Amino acid sequence: MGKAISCIAHDMKTPLMAIGGFIQQVKRKIADDKLARKLDFTFEQVQRLEVLVGDMLAFAKPLTLQYQQGMINHLLEEIVMISGEKAARHGVTIRTELQENMPVAEYDKNRLHQALLNLVNNAVEASPKGSEVIMRNQHLGTDIIVEVADSGSGIPKDLFDDIFTPFVTTKKEGTGLGLPIAKKIIDAHGGAIHVIDNSDKGVTFRITVPVKPQGHL
Ligand SMILES: Nc1ncnc2c1ncn2[C@@H]1O[C@H](COP(=O)(O)OP(=O)(O)OP(=O)(O)O)[C@@H](O)[C@H]1O
Ligand SMILES: [Mg+2]
């Protein structure tokens, strides 16, 4: 499956980039406003496909982690900042409950960022207006735990076992690659990802990653 996805995505990448480039060139020469708007729309669709191709490649390509030392609280604050605009559009607030004195950890910053961002995006997308998404963390033994909790719609029972399977989505504009990519990244760190049904409302995604990669302890 990974190989098929990778081949398709790879073959889509070059023509898409060419189409995007040509649209921009043509747009510069067009004076008609109506046509220009149509070209803008076409360009947006091409950009959506480019994001999709990027996700497909991220899922299918083998993952080599670039470990570096980092403070997990900084990473979480960065994610809150980046997600702020999307959350505001949904009328959702992202709140952090961060433990002080978290240890300096070793992880692939960009990848972990991507995994957590996918979880926060899902939480925001599932959240009703006026609600909160909470990001919290904890240091437990040799692990770091990060939770993303929402009080949204929750995950339908019949979908619970399939959400980490590629292309499983309930969203009109979803691809169903956010969680498989997150899982792949967390697994590569020697960690784990779980989803917990909140007793009141919504779900909590919990990731566990070792403070230091296995073998470095
Ligand atoms: N926090 C959540 N609350 C409720 N349902 C969720 C949550 N997170 C994930 N899901 C369910 O799991 C499905 C798969 O999530 P995933 O992130 O893999 O794909 P997606 O969000 O649909 O699309 P995308 O590729 O854009 O992320 C979602 O379509 C949704 O039904
Ligand atoms: Mg998603």
Side-chain angles (χ1 to χ4, degrees), residues 55 122-123 125-126 150 153-155 159 163 168-171 173-180 203 205:
D55 280 353
N122 281 345
E125 286 160 11
D150 65 66
S153 50
I155 296 168
L159 205 73
I163 51 169
V168 168
T169 183
T170 53
K171 298 172 195 170
E173 306 227 315
T175 307
L177 282 174
L179 286 178
V203 288
F205 278 84

Side-chain angles (χ1 to χ4, degrees), residues 70-144:
M71 301 296 291
I72 193 79
N73 284 7
H74 291 171
L75 184 63
L76 299 182
E77 272 152 14
E78 219 175 276
I79 290 164
V80 173
M81 215 167 67
I82 289 171
S83 314
E85 203 186 309
K86 180 187 173 94
R89 264 188 277 124
H90 280 76
V92 175
T93 312
I94 305 176
R95 186 159 61 80
T96 50
E97 288 175 5
L98 303 184
Q99 301 263 316
E100 283 169 28
N101 307 324
M102 291 296 285
V104 176
E106 280 178 43
Y107 47 79
D108 184 320
K109 188 175 174 236
N110 291 332
R111 303 292 191 176
L112 203 54
H113 184 281
Q114 187 181 9
L116 288 166
L117 195 61
N118 290 356
L119 299 186
V120 172
N121 279 339
N122 281 345
V124 168
E125 286 160 11
S127 291
K129 245 195 175 125
S131 67
E132 275 186 340
V133 167
I134 303 169
M135 283 187 95
R136 53 175 93 90
N137 65 359
Q138 199 185 336
H139 177 204
L140 199 70
T142 54
D143 292 327
I144 282 175

Side-chain angles (χ1 to χ4, degrees), residues 7-216:
C7 284
I8 297 166
H10 191 262
D11 283 356
M12 281 168 73
K13 200 174 172 178
T14 317
L16 272 178
M17 281 170 63
I19 296 167
F22 289 142
I23 293 173
Q24 295 293 65
Q25 275 181 30
V26 172
K27 209 196 135 190
R28 268 180 241 128
K29 307 222 163 173
I30 282 188
D32 182 330
D33 270 2
K34 233 175 167 177
L35 274 181
R37 273 203 301 279
K38 279 188 181 161
L39 279 181
D40 280 341
F41 175 76
T42 316
F43 187 63
E44 276 167 30
Q45 301 309 306
V46 170
Q47 280 184 315
R48 273 185 57 197
L49 284 172
E50 280 180 359
V51 170
L52 168 63
V53 165
D55 280 353
M56 285 164 79
L57 287 172
F59 173 73
K61 271 206 283 197
L63 196 57
T64 318
L65 297 180
Q66 311 278 330
Y67 276 99
Q68 47 182 296
Q69 292 201 327
M71 301 296 291
I72 193 79
N73 284 7
H74 291 171
L75 184 63
L76 299 182
E77 272 152 14
E78 219 175 276
I79 290 164
V80 173
M81 215 167 67
I82 289 171
S83 314
E85 203 186 309
K86 180 187 173 94
R89 264 188 277 124
H90 280 76
V92 175
T93 312
I94 305 176
R95 186 159 61 80
T96 50
E97 288 175 5
L98 303 184
Q99 301 263 316
E100 283 169 28
N101 307 324
M102 291 296 285
V104 176
E106 280 178 43
Y107 47 79
D108 184 320
K109 188 175 174 236
N110 291 332
R111 303 292 191 176
L112 203 54
H113 184 281
Q114 187 181 9
L116 288 166
L117 195 61
N118 290 356
L119 299 186
V120 172
N121 279 339
N122 281 345
V124 168
E125 286 160 11
S127 291
K129 245 195 175 125
S131 67
E132 275 186 340
V133 167
I134 303 169
M135 283 187 95
R136 53 175 93 90
N137 65 359
Q138 199 185 336
H139 177 204
L140 199 70
T142 54
D143 292 327
I144 282 175
I145 295 171
V146 179
E147 289 186 350
V148 179
D150 65 66
S151 41
S153 50
I155 296 168
K157 276 206 165 47
D158 58 340
L159 205 73
F160 223 81
D161 294 334
D162 297 326
I163 51 169
F164 294 104
T165 306
F167 304 116
V168 168
T169 183
T170 53
K171 298 172 195 170
K172 212 172 115 218
E173 306 227 315
T175 307
L177 282 174
L179 286 178
I181 290 172
K183 181 169 163 39
K184 181 174 170 158
I185 292 169
I186 302 304
D187 284 350
H189 280 83
I193 179 165
H194 297 288
V195 55
I196 303 152
D197 210 342
N198 295 342
S199 54
D200 45 354
K201 223 168 187 273
V203 288
T204 299
F205 278 84
R206 172 184 290 168
I207 67 156
T208 308
V209 282
V211 175
K212 286 191 164 57
Q214 270 124 24
H216 281 220

